[in-house]
Amino acid sequence: MTVVDSKGGTIPDVKVEVTGPTPRDGVTDAGGQLNFPGLTAGTYRLRFTGDAVTAFEREVTLRAGQIEKMSITLNLAPPPPAAPAPAPAPPPPPAAPALGPAGTPQTLSVIDLVERELISNKEPRKDTLVACSGNTRSMLVQLNESQTRRVYADAEVLYYVIAGEGAINVDGRDSSLAAGAYSALPRGVGHSLTRKGRRPLILLAVLSGEPCEQAK
């Protein structure tokens, strides 16, 4: 027998299994040919398999004393599916935020600090550093005039009113401030401070999220 493809090209390395009165098996040679001599008469089933072809079966009946010459046409196996594209590499983890140097422990009276650092009537604003460590900066802020609008892109800011009266404007909305008032603003929130009354507006401001020596 000769095993060929649909275009007439011979196919080597095709396994042929013969079941029937005289079972045999073999593999086609480089020219796509294979011989099974000495088969007894009868009906045989031939099965053709291989990596390059689609499996195929055929029945053939052999008569005594005759040689059966066959040309078997097989369909070539479809090419293997393309390997899937590799998954995109995961994005690198976000860089760790910069961390300022550790400060020194502090315990103090904010009221005493206000008395020592009290703003004069001629000063529009006075800032006094209370503590600086890592990514947290604490300031005593005293205002005789309104503070311009501020936005901290990478830090949260907390205000605690120690004395005086005023207002905080957060994204266009005013809220009154008096001694004991507290305001917490997430990063990216625009805000401004306004003094009201005759006395300065005095606050403890805590900025958290960026190295304290860079805070403004």
Side-chain angles (χ1 to χ4, degrees), residues 23-189:
R24 298 282 181 85
D25 63 70
V27 177
T28 58
D29 61 18
Q33 294 185 335
L34 179 62
N35 296 318
F36 290 118
L39 297 179
T40 58
T43 299
Y44 291 84
R45 176 165 290 275
L46 283 61
R47 177 173 173 79
F48 301 84
T49 57
D51 294 338
V53 298
T54 301
F56 176 73
E57 292 188 3
R58 177 174 172 176
E59 246 184 32
V60 61
T61 299
L62 301 182
R63 290 183 289 274
Q66 293 186 1
I67 297 175
E68 184 75 22
K69 293 183 178 181
M70 295 182 295
S71 178
I72 306 296
T73 301
L74 300 181
N75 293 322
L76 296 178
L99 185 64
T104 56
Q106 297 209 42
T107 302
L108 53 83
S109 167
V110 176
I111 301 302
D112 290 346
L113 180 63
V114 171
E115 292 178 353
R116 291 197 308 269
E117 299 290 335
L118 188 62
I119 188 172
S120 69
N121 293 332
K122 296 180 180 181
E123 295 176 280
R125 175 188 175 111
K126 183 176 181 179
D127 292 347
T128 304
L129 179 65
V130 177
C132 175
S133 181
N135 284 18
T136 302
R137 181 183 182 94
S138 300
M139 297 288 296
L140 179 66
V141 178
Q142 303 180 74
L143 298 175
N144 278 326
E145 296 181 3
S146 299
Q147 172 189 273
T148 57
R149 185 175 183 272
R150 297 189 175 193
V151 178
Y152 294 100
D154 299 313
E156 280 72 34
V157 62
L158 313 175
Y159 292 112
Y160 178 78
V161 180
I162 300 170
E165 295 180 354
I168 184 169
N169 182 287
V170 179
D171 288 339
R173 181 179 178 182
D174 283 331
S175 297
S176 297
L177 296 177
Y182 171 82
S183 180
L185 305 176
R187 64 189 63 196
V189 175

